[in-house]
mmCIF file of all heavy atoms in Angstrom:
data_model
loop_
_atom_site.group_PDB
_atom_site.id
_atom_site.type_symbol
_atom_site.label_atom_id
_atom_site.label_comp_id
_atom_site.label_asym_id
_atom_site.label_seq_id
_atom_site.Cartn_x
_atom_site.Cartn_y
_atom_site.Cartn_z
ATOM 1 N N GLU Y 4 -45.763 18.220 -49.499
ATOM 2 C CA GLU Y 4 -45.938 19.338 -50.443
ATOM 3 C C GLU Y 4 -46.524 20.555 -49.774
ATOM 4 O O GLU Y 4 -46.412 21.670 -50.258
ATOM 5 C CB GLU Y 4 -46.862 18.959 -51.571
ATOM 6 C CG GLU Y 4 -48.214 18.650 -51.215
ATOM 7 C CD GLU Y 4 -48.837 17.535 -52.075
ATOM 8 O OE1 GLU Y 4 -48.054 16.609 -52.489
ATOM 9 O OE2 GLU Y 4 -50.044 17.556 -52.250
ATOM 10 N N ASN Y 5 -47.227 20.427 -48.657
ATOM 11 C CA ASN Y 5 -47.978 21.544 -48.043
ATOM 12 C C ASN Y 5 -47.045 22.117 -46.930
ATOM 13 O O ASN Y 5 -47.045 23.407 -46.811
ATOM 14 C CB ASN Y 5 -49.261 21.091 -47.452
ATOM 15 C CG ASN Y 5 -50.174 20.620 -48.476
ATOM 16 O OD1 ASN Y 5 -50.363 21.240 -49.520
ATOM 17 N ND2 ASN Y 5 -50.862 19.451 -48.238
ATOM 18 N N SER Y 6 -46.386 21.416 -46.163
ATOM 19 C CA SER Y 6 -45.611 22.007 -45.054
ATOM 20 C C SER Y 6 -44.190 22.369 -45.464
ATOM 21 O O SER Y 6 -43.556 23.291 -44.883
ATOM 22 C CB SER Y 6 -45.477 21.042 -43.889
ATOM 23 O OG SER Y 6 -44.709 19.933 -44.284
ATOM 24 N N GLY Y 7 -43.700 21.759 -46.579
ATOM 25 C CA GLY Y 7 -42.333 21.967 -46.990
ATOM 26 C C GLY Y 7 -41.238 21.252 -46.238
ATOM 27 O O GLY Y 7 -40.162 21.258 -46.535
ATOM 28 N N SER Y 8 -41.706 20.449 -45.224
ATOM 29 C CA SER Y 8 -40.726 19.723 -44.422
ATOM 30 C C SER Y 8 -40.365 18.394 -45.195
ATOM 31 O O SER Y 8 -41.043 17.934 -46.022
ATOM 32 C CB SER Y 8 -41.341 19.262 -43.123
ATOM 33 O OG SER Y 8 -42.487 18.464 -43.294
ATOM 34 N N ARG Y 9 -39.173 17.883 -44.876
ATOM 35 C CA ARG Y 9 -38.717 16.680 -45.518
ATOM 36 C C ARG Y 9 -38.188 15.725 -44.512
ATOM 37 O O ARG Y 9 -37.728 16.098 -43.397
ATOM 38 C CB ARG Y 9 -37.581 17.033 -46.454
ATOM 39 C CG ARG Y 9 -37.927 17.954 -47.627
ATOM 40 C CD ARG Y 9 -36.768 18.099 -48.603
ATOM 41 N NE ARG Y 9 -37.146 19.001 -49.712
ATOM 42 C CZ ARG Y 9 -36.849 20.304 -49.696
ATOM 43 N NH1 ARG Y 9 -36.221 20.891 -48.744
ATOM 44 N NH2 ARG Y 9 -37.244 21.014 -50.768
ATOM 45 N N ALA Y 10 -38.392 14.460 -44.838
ATOM 46 C CA ALA Y 10 -37.776 13.423 -43.979
ATOM 47 C C ALA Y 10 -37.218 12.327 -44.865
ATOM 48 O O ALA Y 10 -37.780 11.977 -45.861
ATOM 49 C CB ALA Y 10 -38.949 12.731 -43.093
ATOM 50 N N VAL Y 11 -36.100 11.849 -44.511
ATOM 51 C CA VAL Y 11 -35.322 10.903 -45.334
ATOM 52 C C VAL Y 11 -35.590 9.466 -44.839
ATOM 53 O O VAL Y 11 -35.706 8.479 -45.532
ATOM 54 C CB VAL Y 11 -33.870 11.194 -45.356
ATOM 55 C CG1 VAL Y 11 -33.151 10.120 -46.091
ATOM 56 C CG2 VAL Y 11 -33.619 12.584 -46.042
ATOM 57 N N SER Y 12 -35.615 9.327 -43.480
ATOM 58 C CA SER Y 12 -35.901 7.986 -42.908
ATOM 59 C C SER Y 12 -37.110 8.051 -42.019
ATOM 60 O O SER Y 12 -37.639 9.080 -41.780
ATOM 61 C CB SER Y 12 -34.691 7.593 -42.047
ATOM 62 O OG SER Y 12 -34.427 8.559 -41.005
ATOM 63 N N GLY Y 13 -37.680 6.894 -41.690
ATOM 64 C CA GLY Y 13 -38.877 6.770 -40.975
ATOM 65 C C GLY Y 13 -40.065 7.278 -41.698
ATOM 66 O O GLY Y 13 -40.990 7.892 -41.165
ATOM 67 N N VAL Y 14 -40.049 7.054 -43.053
ATOM 68 C CA VAL Y 14 -41.146 7.610 -43.853
ATOM 69 C C VAL Y 14 -42.495 6.883 -43.577
ATOM 70 O O VAL Y 14 -42.508 5.773 -43.043
ATOM 71 C CB VAL Y 14 -40.823 7.423 -45.325
ATOM 72 C CG1 VAL Y 14 -39.652 8.148 -45.724
ATOM 73 C CG2 VAL Y 14 -40.638 5.913 -45.726
ATOM 74 N N SER Y 15 -43.556 7.604 -43.844
ATOM 75 C CA SER Y 15 -44.845 6.994 -43.686
ATOM 76 C C SER Y 15 -45.043 5.859 -44.648
ATOM 77 O O SER Y 15 -44.642 5.903 -45.791
ATOM 78 C CB SER Y 15 -45.900 8.108 -43.927
ATOM 79 O OG SER Y 15 -47.172 7.506 -43.954
ATOM 80 N N ARG Y 16 -45.725 4.840 -44.132
ATOM 81 C CA ARG Y 16 -45.980 3.640 -44.921
ATOM 82 C C ARG Y 16 -47.460 3.651 -45.373
ATOM 83 O O ARG Y 16 -48.066 2.556 -45.563
ATOM 84 C CB ARG Y 16 -45.578 2.347 -44.239
ATOM 85 C CG ARG Y 16 -44.198 2.292 -43.788
ATOM 86 C CD ARG Y 16 -43.217 2.370 -44.951
ATOM 87 N NE ARG Y 16 -41.836 2.147 -44.532
ATOM 88 C CZ ARG Y 16 -40.736 2.255 -45.281
ATOM 89 N NH1 ARG Y 16 -40.901 2.684 -46.489
ATOM 90 N NH2 ARG Y 16 -39.584 1.975 -44.791
ATOM 91 N N ARG Y 17 -48.094 4.727 -45.461
ATOM 92 C CA ARG Y 17 -49.489 4.751 -45.767
ATOM 93 C C ARG Y 17 -49.798 4.111 -47.104
ATOM 94 O O ARG Y 17 -49.014 4.186 -48.020
ATOM 95 C CB ARG Y 17 -50.024 6.262 -45.880
ATOM 96 C CG ARG Y 17 -49.887 7.049 -44.566
ATOM 97 C CD ARG Y 17 -50.355 8.454 -44.835
ATOM 98 N NE ARG Y 17 -49.457 9.058 -45.809
ATOM 99 C CZ ARG Y 17 -49.792 9.916 -46.735
ATOM 100 N NH1 ARG Y 17 -51.161 10.225 -46.832
ATOM 101 N NH2 ARG Y 17 -48.954 10.431 -47.577
ATOM 102 N N THR Y 18 -50.933 3.490 -47.217
ATOM 103 C CA THR Y 18 -51.413 2.968 -48.475
ATOM 104 C C THR Y 18 -52.007 4.216 -49.214
ATOM 105 O O THR Y 18 -52.946 4.800 -48.790
ATOM 106 C CB THR Y 18 -52.431 1.900 -48.359
ATOM 107 O OG1 THR Y 18 -51.846 0.821 -47.559
ATOM 108 C CG2 THR Y 18 -52.983 1.424 -49.638
ATOM 109 N N LEU Y 19 -51.386 4.425 -50.333
ATOM 110 C CA LEU Y 19 -51.833 5.760 -51.131
ATOM 111 C C LEU Y 19 -52.981 5.397 -52.060
ATOM 112 O O LEU Y 19 -53.841 6.328 -52.299
ATOM 113 C CB LEU Y 19 -50.607 6.228 -51.859
ATOM 114 C CG LEU Y 19 -49.458 6.679 -50.988
ATOM 115 C CD1 LEU Y 19 -48.309 7.141 -51.894
ATOM 116 C CD2 LEU Y 19 -49.838 7.803 -50.018
ATOM 117 N N ILE Y 20 -53.025 4.291 -52.583
ATOM 118 C CA ILE Y 20 -54.250 3.929 -53.475
ATOM 119 C C ILE Y 20 -54.604 2.513 -53.224
ATOM 120 O O ILE Y 20 -53.908 1.735 -52.681
ATOM 121 C CB ILE Y 20 -53.881 4.146 -54.884
ATOM 122 C CG1 ILE Y 20 -52.712 3.213 -55.356
ATOM 123 C CG2 ILE Y 20 -53.433 5.580 -55.267
ATOM 124 C CD1 ILE Y 20 -52.550 3.119 -56.823
ATOM 125 N N LYS Y 21 -55.762 2.170 -53.662
ATOM 126 C CA LYS Y 21 -56.190 0.790 -53.692
ATOM 127 C C LYS Y 21 -56.553 0.469 -55.077
ATOM 128 O O LYS Y 21 -57.450 1.048 -55.683
ATOM 129 C CB LYS Y 21 -57.378 0.637 -52.678
ATOM 130 C CG LYS Y 21 -56.944 0.721 -51.248
ATOM 131 C CD LYS Y 21 -58.079 0.187 -50.363
ATOM 132 C CE LYS Y 21 -57.546 0.316 -48.904
ATOM 133 N NZ LYS Y 21 -58.604 -0.193 -47.939
ATOM 134 N N THR Y 22 -55.872 -0.518 -55.627
ATOM 135 C CA THR Y 22 -56.056 -0.780 -57.038
ATOM 136 C C THR Y 22 -56.900 -2.074 -57.313
ATOM 137 O O THR Y 22 -57.268 -2.354 -58.403
ATOM 138 C CB THR Y 22 -54.743 -0.953 -57.743
ATOM 139 O OG1 THR Y 22 -53.998 -2.018 -57.130
ATOM 140 C CG2 THR Y 22 -53.942 0.350 -57.660
ATOM 141 N N GLY Y 23 -57.121 -2.850 -56.264
ATOM 142 C CA GLY Y 23 -57.838 -4.133 -56.498
ATOM 143 C C GLY Y 23 -59.324 -3.937 -56.560
ATOM 144 O O GLY Y 23 -59.844 -3.002 -56.127
ATOM 145 N N PHE Y 24 -60.058 -4.987 -57.029
ATOM 146 C CA PHE Y 24 -61.452 -4.965 -57.040
ATOM 147 C C PHE Y 24 -61.993 -6.045 -56.067
ATOM 148 O O PHE Y 24 -61.345 -7.031 -55.857
ATOM 149 C CB PHE Y 24 -61.955 -5.315 -58.430
ATOM 150 C CG PHE Y 24 -61.619 -4.332 -59.459
ATOM 151 C CD1 PHE Y 24 -60.677 -4.726 -60.472
ATOM 152 C CD2 PHE Y 24 -62.152 -3.106 -59.445
ATOM 153 C CE1 PHE Y 24 -60.347 -3.778 -61.443
ATOM 154 C CE2 PHE Y 24 -61.795 -2.207 -60.437
ATOM 155 C CZ PHE Y 24 -60.899 -2.564 -61.397
ATOM 156 N N ALA Y 25 -63.123 -5.728 -55.490
ATOM 157 C CA ALA Y 25 -63.795 -6.763 -54.665
ATOM 158 C C ALA Y 25 -64.528 -7.661 -55.613
ATOM 159 O O ALA Y 25 -65.662 -7.406 -55.993
ATOM 160 C CB ALA Y 25 -64.790 -6.136 -53.685
#
Side-chain angles (χ1 to χ4, degrees):
E4 66 213 33
N5 295 317
S6 69
S8 62
R9 299 186 178 96
V11 175
S12 59
V14 297
S15 170
R16 304 300 190 185
R17 293 175 303 142
T18 299
L19 298 178
I20 63 169
K21 291 191 176 181
T22 60
F24 297 111

